[in-house]
């Protein structure tokens, strides 16, 4: 077989149709309609994830710390949430939040203080909680880093006009919600993160 019969060996910049055609040729009847969607999504996720990591490395912050600081910043003044709220909004475990908070606290980006939280239904009194708050240094870091990240990502989207961007965003929302429903998985994790 000649090398141009193999889609990944071809000179094509976008071999998705060739990959689907090769599967149809080699395995007639195999469903290939998802290839045109899933393959570019995976490739885009890899490209965008790698680019974001480079932007964050230049800014001197890791993705987990930026996520923590961003959740606090988006909460609005006084930029403080309980660890439970942080875990819920970050969609990660309490243990993972605890590690992120400890690292950010060592770096002077957040502070922790005791707080009170209402007991669950039927419970008496209040239970202890921990409130995490952005420090001025954390606020400055998240402000400058978010500007860098979002400006870069907006620039990468300029291959689509605003109408196309809105259309794609809506289609991706519909697809994501449907796949989450079908898989009964509503977590938002990063590409490559373990379950």
């Amino acid at each position: 077989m000649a090398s141009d019969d193999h889609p990944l060996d071809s000179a094509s910049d976008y071999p998705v149709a060739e990959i689907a055609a090769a599967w149809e040729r080699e395995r007639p009847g195999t469903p290939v309609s998802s290839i045109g969607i899933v393959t570019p999504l995976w490739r885009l996720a890899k490209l965008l994830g790698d680019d974001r990591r480079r932007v964050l490395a230049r800014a001197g912050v890791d993705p987990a710390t930026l996520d923590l600081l961003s959740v606090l910043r988006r909460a609005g003044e006084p930029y403080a949430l309980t660890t439970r709220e942080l875990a819920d909004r970050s969609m990660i475990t309490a243990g993972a939040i605890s590690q992120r908070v400890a690292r950010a606290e060592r770096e002077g980006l957040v502070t922790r203080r005791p707080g009170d939280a209402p007991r669950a239904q039927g419970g008496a009194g209040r239970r202890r909680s921990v409130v995490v708050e952005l420090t001025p240094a954390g606020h400055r870091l998240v402000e400058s880093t978010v500007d860098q990240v979002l400006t870069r990502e907006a620039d990468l989207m300029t291959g689509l006009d605003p109408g196309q961007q809105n259309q794609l965003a809506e289609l991706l929302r519909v697809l994501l919600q449907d796949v989450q429903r079908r898989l009964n998985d509503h977590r938002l994790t990063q590409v490559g993160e373990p379950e």
Side-chain angles (χ1 to χ4, degrees):
M1 193 178 255
S3 67
D4 52 315
D5 290 338
H6 297 283
L8 295 178
D9 293 334
S10 75
S12 172
D13 289 335
Y14 192 73
V16 173
E18 295 163 9
I19 293 169
W23 278 118
E24 287 177 328
R25 180 188 70 239
E26 296 298 317
R27 293 189 43 126
T30 297
V32 296
S33 61
S34 65
I35 291 174
I37 297 168
V38 174
T39 300
L41 284 175
W42 273 107
R43 183 69 181 133
L44 280 166
K46 169 90 171 89
L47 290 167
L48 293 170
D50 288 350
D51 189 71
R52 180 178 275 202
R53 279 186 287 284
R54 283 189 295 272
V55 170
L56 294 178
R58 284 192 301 270
V61 65
D62 65 272
T65 300
L66 179 62
D67 182 54
L68 172 71
L69 301 179
S70 295
V71 170
L72 288 167
R73 175 62 181 89
R74 288 192 309 265
E77 287 190 52
Y79 312 119
L81 294 169
T82 66
T83 52
R84 176 179 288 275
E85 290 169 324
L86 281 168
D88 290 347
R89 292 182 189 195
S90 298
M91 292 180 239
I92 60 175
T93 65
I97 277 295
S98 180
Q99 291 175 0
R100 288 181 182 188
V101 168
R103 185 172 52 243
E105 187 176 38
R106 281 191 306 272
E107 295 173 8
L109 304 173
V110 299
T111 59
R112 284 189 269 200
R113 61 179 162 79
D116 287 324
R119 286 235 181 243
Q121 281 184 313
R126 301 177 78 73
R127 64 180 168 81
R128 297 282 296 183
S129 66
V130 175
V131 175
V132 179
E133 187 171 357
L134 274 179
T135 65
H139 191 270
R140 283 190 303 276
L141 180 62
V142 73
E143 291 293 309
S144 67
T145 305
V146 165
D147 282 348
Q148 292 174 54
V149 169
L150 295 182
T151 298
R152 173 65 176 162
E153 290 174 355
D155 182 57
L156 292 173
M157 298 299 117
T158 59
L160 301 175
D161 67 42
Q164 291 171 319
Q165 290 180 31
N166 290 336
Q167 182 181 15
L168 179 59
E170 178 58 18
L171 291 171
L172 290 171
R173 182 192 64 77
V174 169
L175 180 61
L176 177 61
Q177 288 178 341
D178 183 60
V179 171
Q180 286 177 316
R181 181 187 56 77
R182 289 170 183 250
L183 298 177
N184 193 29
D185 186 345
H186 298 278
R187 297 169 298 154
L188 292 177
T189 59
Q190 303 295 318
V191 174
E193 275 187 2
E195 292 184 29

